[in-house]
């Protein structure tokens, strides 16, 4: 029996200008105004955070960012800090997305610094982990995930004020239309929960939401969400259109 409130999170990546993001947020807010028992988060690009924050202020949609840097301020051209995200209205921040690892040189060490910074600042970090197709074919899925979680969360402190979300996103399923099978997803999520238990103890392992991400669509959301260790979804492509994202939220 799951006692965790599901979280459906939308990662808008590098899509939408300020006005497009505001428009999408407005439409989404109308479409999900009846939702009660599910947490909802959208992560627009940095430029649209403040505008979207205003629009979702009195709704049950929360705001997330797609990354942060670990220093508070300074000569770090192009970076964004935790206090800046909080001032823009964010409650969550996505960290270690596979696109950041693949194209922007993120490592488990830099992911760990970002995670700890986010958590200390009062943001809820969403740690993204996942294996590539080659790693899965080479039977390395579990060792890859073990390293990403153990190093990514090293010396993180969880307590009643500091929680965490994990998103399992097999790289081969992101934006490809290929979804991991329910058996594959449940097997990995149970493994991740065991890792959390080893690192943080039973209470935090049970309280931590583990999302699945990778080509989640309105027509596969309910099957995935019914699995015992799946507590929601991190949605890329299908979160860009209010209608399809709302259908996923109504799984
Ligand atoms: C993502 O980028 O986090 C993601 C899951 O993308 P998509 O839903 O498009 O596969």
């Amino acid at each position: 029996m799951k006692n965790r409130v599901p979280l459906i999170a939308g990662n808008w990546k590098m899509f939408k200008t300020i006005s497009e993001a505001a428009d999408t947020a407005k439409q989404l807010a109308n479409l999900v105004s009846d939702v009660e028992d599910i947490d909802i988060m959208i992560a627009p690009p940095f430029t649209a955070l403040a505008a979207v924050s205003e629009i979702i202020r009195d709704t049950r949609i929360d705001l997330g960012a797609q990354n942060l840097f670990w220093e508070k301020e300074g000569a770090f051209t192009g970076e964004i800090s935790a206090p800046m995200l909080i001032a823009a209205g964010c409650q969550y921040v996505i960290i270690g997305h596979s696109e950041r690892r693949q194209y922007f040189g993120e490592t488990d060490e830099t992911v760990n610094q970002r995670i700890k910074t986010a958590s200390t600042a009062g943001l809820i970090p969403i740690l993204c982990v996942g294996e590539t197709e080659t790693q899965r074919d080479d039977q390395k899925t579990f060792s890859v995930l073990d390293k990403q979680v153990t190093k990514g969360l090293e010396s993180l402190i969880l307590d009643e004020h500091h929680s965490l979300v994990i998103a399992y996103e097999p790289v081969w399923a992101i934006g490809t239309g290929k979804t991991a099978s329910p058996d594959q997803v449940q097997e990995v999520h149970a493994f991740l929960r065991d890792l959390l238990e080893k690192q943080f103890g039973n209470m935090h392992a049970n309280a931590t939401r583990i999302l699945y991400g990778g080509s989640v669509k309105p027509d596969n959301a309910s099957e995935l969400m019914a699995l015992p260790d799946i507590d929601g979804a991190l949605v890329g492509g299908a979160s860009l259109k209010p209608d399809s994202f709302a259908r996923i939220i109504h799984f």
Side-chain angles (χ1 to χ4, degrees):
M1 175 71 186
K2 294 192 227 181
N3 55 0
R4 299 169 289 271
V5 178
L7 169 64
I8 307 291
N11 172 15
W12 290 358
K13 310 193 184 194
M14 198 176 72
F15 290 100
K16 298 186 188 296
T17 61
I18 298 174
S19 64
E20 288 164 350
D23 205 43
T24 306
K26 246 179 240 156
Q27 289 183 51
L28 181 67
N30 286 332
L31 290 169
V32 299
S33 59
D34 61 327
V35 173
E36 276 176 6
D37 302 326
I38 293 182
D39 289 345
I40 304 166
M41 184 217 80
I42 47 179
F46 292 132
T47 46
L49 286 173
V52 169
S53 170
E54 278 302 308
I55 285 160
I56 61 178
R57 184 189 293 277
D58 294 320
T59 73
R60 52 172 305 119
I61 306 174
D62 287 326
L63 191 66
Q66 299 175 23
N67 192 19
L68 55 57
F69 187 56
W70 49 83
E71 296 291 345
K72 281 199 179 74
E73 61 181 6
F76 302 105
T77 303
E79 295 300 320
I80 297 267
S81 72
M84 291 170 184
L85 296 182
I86 290 168
C90 291
Q91 291 87 22
Y92 292 86
V93 56
I94 299 170
I95 295 178
H97 190 280
S98 64
E99 286 150 16
R100 303 254 9 128
R101 295 178 192 255
Q102 191 177 348
Y103 305 129
F104 302 100
E106 290 278 349
T107 63
D108 291 327
E109 288 70 28
T110 59
V111 165
N112 179 247
Q113 277 182 278
R114 292 176 211 276
I115 291 273
K116 285 189 294 192
T117 302
S119 183
T120 307
L123 290 161
I124 302 173
I126 303 181
L127 168 68
C128 299
V129 296
E131 79 288 1
T132 62
E133 190 152 37
T134 315
Q135 289 165 335
R136 180 163 276 269
D137 291 345
D138 293 347
Q139 322 288 335
K140 291 192 179 134
T141 299
F142 294 104
S143 60
V144 167
L145 294 171
D146 190 328
K147 182 166 168 284
Q148 289 176 340
V149 169
T150 311
K151 293 210 168 228
L153 300 179
E154 199 169 273
S155 55
L156 175 72
I157 292 165
L158 294 182
D159 56 32
E160 67 272 30
H161 304 297
H162 298 90
S163 64
L164 163 79
V165 175
I166 299 219
Y168 169 54
E169 301 208 301
V171 179
W172 49 272
I174 295 181
T176 59
K178 290 187 202 169
T179 319
S181 72
D183 284 351
Q184 286 171 323
V185 178
Q186 173 54 31
E187 184 185 30
V188 166
H189 281 226
F191 173 78
L192 293 172
R193 207 172 296 286
D194 280 349
L195 281 182
L196 289 174
E197 185 168 346
K198 276 188 209 130
Q199 210 161 338
F200 298 102
N202 183 269
M203 192 185 83
H204 292 300
N206 274 326
T208 300
R209 291 178 291 188
I210 307 180
L211 315 183
Y212 168 75
S215 298
V216 175
K217 303 274 183 296
D219 57 5
N220 61 19
S222 60
E223 185 182 25
L224 290 161
M225 292 298 299
L227 299 167
D229 280 294
I230 280 81
D231 309 309
L234 181 54
V235 186
S239 73
L240 294 170
K241 294 207 173 78
D243 174 57
S244 65
F245 194 43
R247 282 167 61 210
I248 293 172
I249 292 163
H250 285 104
F251 70 86

